[in-house]
Amino acid sequence: EETEKYYINQKHDKIFKEMLSDKKSTVDFINSFLHLNLVEDDIEKYEKEFRTSEFSNVEADVVYKVKNKNVFILIEHQSSVDLKMAYRVLCYKNAIIESAIDKKRLKERNYKIPKVIAIVLYTGKRKWNSLSINDIEEKIDGYENPNNEYHLIDSNEFSRNKLLSDNLITSKAML
C-alpha cells in the first residue's frame, strides 16, 4: 500500500512537472496567482544545476528566470504536507542565489542580488498549515527577531563617553 501511494505521488508530481515545463501554461499560472503581466518570451527555464547540502538528491520541481532580470520563480509541487517546507524553500532559494550571483560585483553599491519568488503548489487532501521559518526555528525567551533579518550595532551611534563608561570589552574595542 505504501509503495502504491508513493507511485501515485510520483506520477502526480510528474504530471505537474510536465505541465509546468510548458511556458504558456506556466506564464498563465504565474500571472494568475502572482498578479503579474508576463508573456511567454519574458521567462526562460533555468537549467543551471543547483544543489543544497541538506537536499543533495532532491531538485526543486521547476525554476524559471525572468529574462533581463536577476529574478527567478521557483515552483515546488507538493502532494503531501511538509511541515518544514519553509526550510526547504529557504535552502532552494539560497542555492539558486548562489548559482546566479555575480560574486565579482557584490561590493558594487548598485548591484542587486538575485530575487527568488517561491511558489508551493499543494494538491494534497489534508489542510496545509503554512509555517514560516520563524514558526519552526528554535526560540529563546525574551528575544524578538528584527524585521531586517539581522541586528545592527553601529559603533558610530555611541558617544565616546558611553563606550568608555560601559563595562563591556567589546565597547572598548569599538573605540
Side-chain angles (χ1 to χ4, degrees):
E1 185 180 303
E2 198 57 38
T3 307
E4 184 180 322
K5 185 178 175 187
Y6 178 73
Y7 176 74
I8 290 168
N9 285 345
Q10 220 178 17
K11 195 173 173 184
H12 204 230
D13 286 346
K14 188 177 179 188
I15 291 168
F16 275 97
K17 253 187 181 172
E18 285 176 15
M19 283 188 325
L20 294 169
S21 291
D22 177 67
K23 280 179 32 171
K24 169 90 174 91
S25 298
T26 303
V27 163
D28 291 344
F29 172 76
I30 290 168
N31 287 341
S32 177
F33 290 97
L34 298 183
H35 311 291
L36 296 175
N37 293 310
L38 298 173
V39 295
E40 275 182 77
D41 286 341
D42 290 338
I43 64 170
E44 59 193 1
K45 198 91 182 281
Y46 189 61
E47 301 289 353
K48 199 166 190 180
E49 212 172 283
F50 62 92
R51 297 258 186 225
T52 67
S53 57
E54 183 66 26
F55 304 105
S56 58
N57 295 326
V58 179
E59 291 180 27
D61 286 343
V62 181
V63 180
Y64 281 93
K65 181 181 185 306
V66 178
K67 291 180 183 174
N68 303 319
K69 291 201 170 282
N70 218 358
V71 175
F72 300 83
I73 300 171
L74 160 69
I75 306 171
E76 185 67 22
H77 173 250
Q78 281 293 119
S79 54
S80 60
V81 173
D82 183 347
L83 297 175
K84 302 298 188 269
M85 183 52 79
Y87 171 67
R88 270 184 57 200
V89 167
L90 180 64
C91 290
Y92 289 148
K93 286 173 98 171
N94 286 338
I96 293 166
I97 289 168
E98 277 297 310
S99 73
I101 202 162
D102 185 344
K103 290 186 170 94
K104 293 176 189 151
R105 296 190 57 209
L106 267 176
K107 294 193 183 223
E108 292 176 20
R109 178 181 289 283
N110 294 330
Y111 178 71
K112 302 285 186 206
I113 65 168
K115 176 164 194 63
V116 180
I117 299 168
I119 299 170
V120 175
L121 173 59
Y122 174 62
T123 58
K125 295 197 182 316
R126 288 179 36 208
K127 177 155 176 39
W128 185 279
N129 185 11
S130 192
L131 299 173
S132 70
I133 283 292
N134 192 41
D135 294 327
I136 62 175
E137 280 182 325
E138 189 67 48
K139 306 283 187 264
I140 185 167
D141 290 339
Y143 176 75
E144 287 294 321
N145 280 334
N147 288 336
N148 65 346
E149 299 181 29
Y150 61 88
H151 292 278
L152 176 64
I153 300 169
D154 185 347
S155 63
N156 294 306
E157 294 184 9
F158 298 95
S159 70
R160 181 173 175 76
N161 287 341
K162 167 69 175 137
L163 293 173
L164 284 170
S165 66
D166 202 338
N167 288 331
L168 297 173
I169 189 81
T170 51
S171 295
K172 306 303 183 245
M174 283 193 270
L175 283 168

